[in-house]
Amino acid sequence: MKTARYDRQRILKGFGEEGQAKLKAAKILVVGAGGLGVPVLTYLNAMGVGTLGIADADLVSESNLHRQVIYKENQIGLPKVEAIKDNLQAQNSETIINVYKSFLTIDNALEIIANYDVVVDASDNFPTRYLVNDACVILKKPLVYGALHGFEGQVSVFNYDNGPTYRCLFPKMPKVDAIPNCNEHGILGVLPGIIGNLQALETVKVITEIGEVLSGVLFLYDGLSQRTQRMQFNTIPENLELSELQDSYELDCNIPVKSIEAIEIEKLITDFDIELIDVRTKEEFVQNHLAKAKHIPLLDLKQRKKEIDTRKPVYVICQSGIRSLKAAVLLKELLPNTEIINVSGGMNQLSSYADFS
C-alpha cells in the first residue's frame, strides 16, 4: 500500500488503519458499468478497495458520455468493461480488476457473485435487479442498490445482517408497459454521479462497519428540489429463504408475446424472409445495427405502422430487450393478425456480432 495515498482516510477517527485494511481486503462486484457503475467504480478504486469485479456486455456509445464521465471519445464502440478497466488501472494500479464481458444471467450469476463480499447493483433494468437480489439472498451477500428516473434517484442496502431484501420492498416485477426507460424519457447527466457516489458510500460502510447502513431504509433524492426522504420497510421472512433461482426473470406482459434469444436472429436473417424492426433511437441505430433491420423508433410505431411488411413474421429488436418487448406488445394490439416476436437480449447480446452496418 502506498505510504501517502490514503492518508486523509487513515487519519479519520473511526476509520483509521483498520478501515483502510478492510477496504484493501474487500472484493466488490459492480453489476453494470454505466451511469451508476462509473462513479461507484471510480471512487471505490480511488479509495483503495483491493479487488473490483465489473460485469457488463455493453459498448461505449456517444450518448453515454454526458453522464458516464470516465469514458473518452476515442473509446466509443469499445466494450465498456475493457474501456473502464484501462481507465481505472491508470487511476490506481494497485487494484485487482476482474472484468466479465457479459450481463448476469441465470447461468452465471451465482458463480460470479460467489467470489465477492458485496455486490453493487448498478444495472438499469428490473429482470437484472430481481436476479441479482435472489442470487445475493441465496449466497448471503449484501446488495447495495441504486436506481434513477429523470431527476430523481434512490438508494438502499439489501440482504445486510438478515435485513430486508429487494423483494421486501418490491415484491413483484412491474408490468412491461409500466417501466420507464432513460432512452425514451432522458436523464440529467449529473444525477447518476450523485446516486452512484451514495452507493459507493454505503458499500464502504458495509465493508468497514462504520456508520448507519441504509438497511430497511429507502433513501429518496429529488434533484430539482434538493429534497430527500427516508422510507422505512420491514423484512418479510420468507424472502430470506430462497434456495434457488427462478427458471426465468422475463418481464411480465399484459399481452403474451413470443420471444427468441438475440443469438438466434443471425440464422433467421440468413435463412428466412422476415421483417426486422429496430425500435431504438436514431443515435443508437446509427452507431450499430443489423444489416436487414428497418429503423422505426418505439415512440413512432403508431404513426409508422404502415411501413411494416405484415406479410412476413415481424421481429422486434432494441438494445436490451425491454423496449422491444414494449413494442411487441403494442404491435400485437395494432396488428392483431400479424406474427410478432420479441428479440430478447437485444443488441447487447449481439455485441460481438459481425454483420453491423
Side-chain angles (χ1 to χ4, degrees):
M1 185 180 292
K2 295 180 180 177
T3 304
R5 182 166 199 144
Y6 308 111
D7 279 356
R8 296 301 185 272
Q9 289 173 177
R10 292 200 298 250
I11 63 175
L12 275 170
K13 292 182 179 179
F15 186 86
E17 295 286 353
E18 183 181 358
Q20 195 63 52
K22 288 179 179 179
L23 287 185
K24 181 67 175 176
K27 297 180 179 180
I28 298 170
L29 175 68
V30 180
V31 181
L36 293 173
V38 164
V40 170
L41 288 161
T42 300
Y43 273 91
L44 293 181
N45 186 53
M47 291 177 69
V49 168
T51 302
L52 290 170
I54 313 167
D56 199 314
D58 206 355
L59 307 177
V60 179
S61 70
E62 185 178 8
S63 65
N64 297 150
L65 300 183
H66 87 290
R67 66 194 186 282
Q68 299 173 26
V69 295
I70 200 169
Y71 299 117
K72 312 298 188 291
E73 289 181 353
N74 63 3
Q75 293 178 316
I76 291 173
L78 296 178
K80 283 185 176 179
V81 291
E82 295 178 8
I84 201 168
K85 181 177 181 178
D86 288 344
N87 295 336
L88 292 173
Q89 287 182 325
Q91 179 194 36
N92 190 345
S93 60
E94 295 180 342
T95 311
I96 298 170
I97 300 175
N98 303 320
V99 297
Y100 307 91
K101 191 180 173 184
S102 169
F103 295 107
L104 290 196
T105 67
I106 295 170
D107 296 324
N108 66 19
L110 292 172
E111 179 181 359
I112 292 174
I113 290 173
N115 298 310
Y116 294 89
D117 305 312
V118 178
V119 178
V120 181
D121 180 3
S123 65
D124 61 359
N125 64 87
F126 285 99
T128 299
R129 289 171 188 164
Y130 282 92
L131 169 63
V132 171
N133 172 79
D134 291 359
C136 285
V137 171
I138 292 168
L139 296 170
K140 301 188 184 308
K141 307 286 186 178
L143 173 62
V144 180
Y145 160 79
L148 305 166
H149 179 55
F151 300 98
E152 301 174 355
Q154 50 188 241
V155 180
S156 191
V157 178
F158 303 120
N159 314 328
Y160 177 74
D161 195 19
N162 292 315
T165 77
Y166 183 73
R167 289 185 182 274
C168 297
L169 183 61
F170 303 111
K172 294 183 179 180
M173 200 177 303
K175 299 286 186 182
V176 65
D177 55 4
I179 297 175
N181 186 286
C182 71
N183 292 293
E184 301 167 28
H185 302 290
I187 190 162
L188 193 67
V190 71
L191 186 69
I194 296 169
I195 301 302
N197 276 301
L198 290 173
Q199 286 183 275
L201 176 58
E202 290 303 306
T203 304
V204 171
K205 286 157 63 177
V206 169
I207 290 294
T208 61
E209 300 176 283
I210 62 171
E212 180 183 334
V213 174
L214 286 174
S215 177
V217 177
L218 181 66
F219 180 86
L220 303 167
Y221 174 79
D222 184 336
L224 290 182
S225 66
Q226 293 285 27
R227 290 193 179 97
T228 62
Q229 299 180 58
R230 292 166 61 95
M231 186 182 81
Q232 293 188 331
F233 59 100
N234 297 321
T235 302
I236 299 174
E238 53 264 37
N239 288 335
L240 300 177
E241 298 173 3
L242 288 174
S243 59
E244 59 183 18
L245 298 176
Q246 295 181 358
D247 294 334
S248 172
Y249 286 85
E250 293 290 332
L251 289 166
D252 190 7
C253 295
N254 292 314
I255 300 174
V257 173
K258 181 180 177 181
S259 292
I260 64 161
E261 290 293 317
I263 54 176
E264 300 176 45
I265 199 70
E266 178 181 6
K267 180 174 177 59
L268 289 171
I269 291 173
T270 303
D271 296 346
F272 298 95
D273 190 16
I274 67 171
E275 180 81 327
L276 179 62
I277 306 297
D278 189 321
V279 298
R280 296 176 298 160
T281 63
K282 180 180 178 181
E283 189 274 338
E284 291 173 293
F285 185 80
V286 168
Q287 183 178 359
N288 60 22
H289 61 270
L290 295 171
K292 294 187 178 180
K294 180 181 293 183
H295 183 225
I296 306 179
L298 175 59
L299 296 179
D300 298 341
L301 269 182
K302 284 186 179 180
Q303 293 76 23
R304 296 175 58 184
K305 66 179 182 180
K306 292 183 179 179
E307 298 177 29
I308 299 172
D309 187 347
T310 57
R311 296 170 297 177
K312 306 173 184 177
V314 176
Y315 290 78
V316 192
I317 193 168
C318 70
Q319 193 66 34
S320 67
I322 295 175
R323 282 173 287 168
S324 62
L325 185 55
K326 291 183 180 181
V329 171
L330 176 59
L331 288 175
K332 282 182 71 70
E333 295 176 342
L334 297 174
L335 307 170
N337 298 319
T338 304
E339 184 179 8
I340 309 292
I341 303 98
N342 174 51
V343 181
S344 180
M347 297 297 290
N348 286 337
Q349 197 178 94
L350 296 172
S351 58
S352 61
Y353 186 81
D355 190 20
F356 289 149
S357 293

